[in-house]
């Protein structure tokens, strides 16, 4: 059965929103539970994100594919456009709007659940290592998704993508945002997981660069990857 566009947009809005709520909410909880141990805070935050992301992909994937990420949606459109697969341009624009709106709503929800002030983040993340990390983290994420789909292992996306993001919290100095919608959402929480507005544009720019790198890698390894674009991130009706 084909999912209508409104249903898919609702899934992308809710999925992205809940993802940001997981990231921000677990960051707040970690900061409160382990106030004197930043390493333990990061461990708690990364584990919650790993399991939360996997669960959300399983929940919403059958409806929208569980992109939850503008760079994933853009790569899906770009790689599938020649074969008539993947997201058409109008759907792509709608997906991105739903994802960004969901990201902001998720941060507001997390703030409300933990009764912290609804405030813009003051956490500066503009280091050169942070920006390089966003290229690496985003490239790895997008390449992983398309490799799984192209090799007919999309059913493994939920645990695999969750595990990758959890690992990337640790092997990147930026803690792996790897998602423009999540980046925008995290502006709206002045907490452990927040990012200052001045840092966000550079993060997003590097995420786009990472997406471009991933597309080149995918095309080199799997020249016909676009044929499977309808199954990104997981098989669904669209």
């Amino acid at each position: 059965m084909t999912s209508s566009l409104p249903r898919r947009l609702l899934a992308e809005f809710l999925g992205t929103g809940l993802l940001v709520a997981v990231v921000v909410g677990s960051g707040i909880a970690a900061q409160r539970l382990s106030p004197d141990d930043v390493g333990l805070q990061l461990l708690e935050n990364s584990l919650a994100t790993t399991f939360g992301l996997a669960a959300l992909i399983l929940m919403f994937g059958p409806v929208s594919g569980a992109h939850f990420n503008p760079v994933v949606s853009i790569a899906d459109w770009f790689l599938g456009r020649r074969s008539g697969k993947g997201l058409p341009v109008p759907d792509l624009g709608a997906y991105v709007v739903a994802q960004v709106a969901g990201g902001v709503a998720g941060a507001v929800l997390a703030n409300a659940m933990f009764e912290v002030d609804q405030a813009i983040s003051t956490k500066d993340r503009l280091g050169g290592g942070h920006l390089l990390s966003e290229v690496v983290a985003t490239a790895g994420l997008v390449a992983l998704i398309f490799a799984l789909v192209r090799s007919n292992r999309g059913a493994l996306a939920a645990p695999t993508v969750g595990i990758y993001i959890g690992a990337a919290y640790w092997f990147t100095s930026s803690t792996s945002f790897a998602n423009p919608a999540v980046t925008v959402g995290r502006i709206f929480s002045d907490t452990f997981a927040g990012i200052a507005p001045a840092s966000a544009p550079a993060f997003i720019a590097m995420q786009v660069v990472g997406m471009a790198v991933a597309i080149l890698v995918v095309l080199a390894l799997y020249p016909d990857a676009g044929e499977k674009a309808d199954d990104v991130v997981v098989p669904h009706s669209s």
Side-chain angles (χ1 to χ4, degrees):
M1 180 178 179
T2 301
S3 298
S4 65
L5 180 60
R7 286 177 59 207
R8 286 184 280 135
L9 296 181
L10 178 60
E12 288 296 301
F13 173 82
L14 292 174
T16 311
L18 290 172
L19 173 58
V20 173
V22 168
V23 173
V24 173
S26 63
I28 297 170
Q31 200 167 29
R32 291 180 178 179
L33 292 169
S34 310
D36 300 317
D37 191 333
V38 177
L40 186 55
Q41 291 173 12
L42 187 61
L43 178 61
E44 292 160 348
N45 193 202
S46 64
L47 285 176
T49 303
T50 296
F51 291 116
L53 178 55
L56 291 170
I57 292 172
L58 290 173
M59 184 186 303
F60 296 109
V63 178
S64 68
H67 292 194
F68 308 156
N69 189 334
V71 296
V72 172
S73 297
I74 293 169
D76 182 52
W77 161 76
F78 183 85
L79 289 170
R81 73 195 193 289
R82 290 183 180 176
S83 56
K85 306 289 185 179
L87 290 173
V89 171
D91 289 14
L92 170 62
Y95 262 53
V96 171
V97 171
Q99 290 157 357
V100 173
V104 174
V108 171
L109 175 62
N111 292 338
M113 288 193 292
F114 285 90
E115 299 181 331
V116 301
D117 292 339
Q118 300 287 353
I120 299 299
S121 176
T122 57
K123 191 164 187 175
D124 179 33
R125 296 179 183 265
L126 263 184
H130 291 161
L131 299 181
L132 177 59
S133 292
E134 284 302 294
V135 175
V136 172
T138 308
L141 173 63
V142 175
L144 170 63
I145 288 168
F146 280 90
L148 288 172
V149 172
R150 168 58 182 79
S151 56
N152 297 313
R153 293 176 294 163
L156 297 175
T160 306
V161 171
I163 289 168
Y164 173 82
I165 291 297
Y169 263 75
W170 291 91
F171 72 73
T172 65
S173 64
S174 66
T175 67
S176 182
F177 284 44
N179 185 329
V182 169
T183 303
V184 172
R186 288 168 69 166
I187 291 173
F188 292 86
S189 186
D190 193 16
T191 59
F192 179 80
I195 180 172
S199 299
F203 263 53
I204 293 170
M206 293 303 101
Q207 291 156 5
V208 172
V209 172
M211 176 196 70
V213 171
I215 288 172
L216 292 175
V217 171
V218 169
L219 288 175
L221 296 175
Y222 305 104
D224 59 346
E227 295 290 339
K228 294 285 187 177
D230 283 343
D231 292 333
V232 172
V233 168
V234 295
H236 61 287
S237 298
S238 61

